[in-house]
Amino acid sequence: MKKTLIAAVIPFVLLSTTAFAGTQDCATRVSALKSEIQTAQQFGNTQKVRALQGALAEVQAHCTDAGQVQRAERKVQDKQNDVRKAQDEVRDAEARLREAQARNDAKKIQKAQEKVSDKQDKLREKMDDLRSAQADLAALKG
């Protein structure tokens, strides 16, 4: 039972570790992959070991800290664009709300207020993503 549970959990742990690999410095990526290889070996997951060893070889051959910084900078730029788009959507929703208020249409006002609230929530998410990307970039730059 324990082995089944552990075997079911391991892929999620491995995925969560590699999900952040794009914003880690190269030494951290190598270390994380080596740790994942050891874990996969402990559980006899030979396919996972081979895949991780291939990933490790790629990282060792191609990863540069300067490249990681560039990738993180691109990610920050993408997140900034996402924030700008979300801000535009909030402005548009607020304009529709003002129009509904000018017409004094209670049904449309309610619907427009819900839209504004939804767009503001999405904007907050995008801003959180941006702050996270900026923190990753700052960590890479030291």
Side-chain angles (χ1 to χ4, degrees):
M1 177 69 177
K2 282 185 181 180
K3 285 184 180 180
T4 304
L5 180 60
I6 291 171
V9 171
I10 293 240
F12 296 107
V13 172
L14 293 176
L15 285 174
S16 66
T17 305
T18 57
F20 299 106
T23 57
Q24 294 174 331
D25 63 73
C26 296
T28 303
R29 289 180 72 182
V30 167
S31 176
L33 284 167
K34 286 181 179 180
S35 175
E36 289 179 35
I37 289 169
Q38 287 177 342
T39 302
Q41 286 173 334
Q42 288 174 349
F43 289 97
N45 191 342
T46 55
Q47 286 182 318
K48 188 70 174 179
V49 169
R50 278 194 296 274
L52 290 169
Q53 286 173 336
L56 177 61
E58 286 293 313
V59 167
Q60 288 173 327
H62 303 291
C63 185
T64 64
D65 288 338
Q68 292 298 93
V69 169
Q70 285 179 329
R71 183 175 295 117
E73 287 171 342
R74 280 192 307 271
K75 187 174 179 181
V76 166
Q77 290 172 347
D78 290 344
K79 299 300 177 184
Q80 287 171 335
N81 289 336
D82 292 346
V83 166
R84 279 191 282 280
K85 287 177 187 175
Q87 288 170 331
D88 289 342
E89 290 176 2
V90 168
R91 280 191 289 278
D92 291 345
E94 288 171 340
R96 286 189 208 101
L97 174 59
R98 285 190 296 278
E99 289 172 9
Q101 289 170 333
R103 292 184 188 143
N104 206 17
D105 185 338
K107 201 173 196 180
K108 287 188 179 185
I109 290 172
Q110 176 64 30
K111 194 171 193 176
Q113 285 173 333
E114 290 172 5
K115 282 276 191 190
V116 168
S117 179
D118 180 51
K119 298 297 181 182
Q120 288 172 335
D121 289 344
K122 288 182 182 179
L123 174 58
R124 278 190 284 281
E125 280 180 37
K126 299 295 181 184
M127 291 177 76
D128 289 343
D129 291 346
L130 174 58
R131 280 190 285 277
S132 176
Q134 288 169 331
D136 290 344
L137 176 59
L140 284 171
K141 286 187 172 182

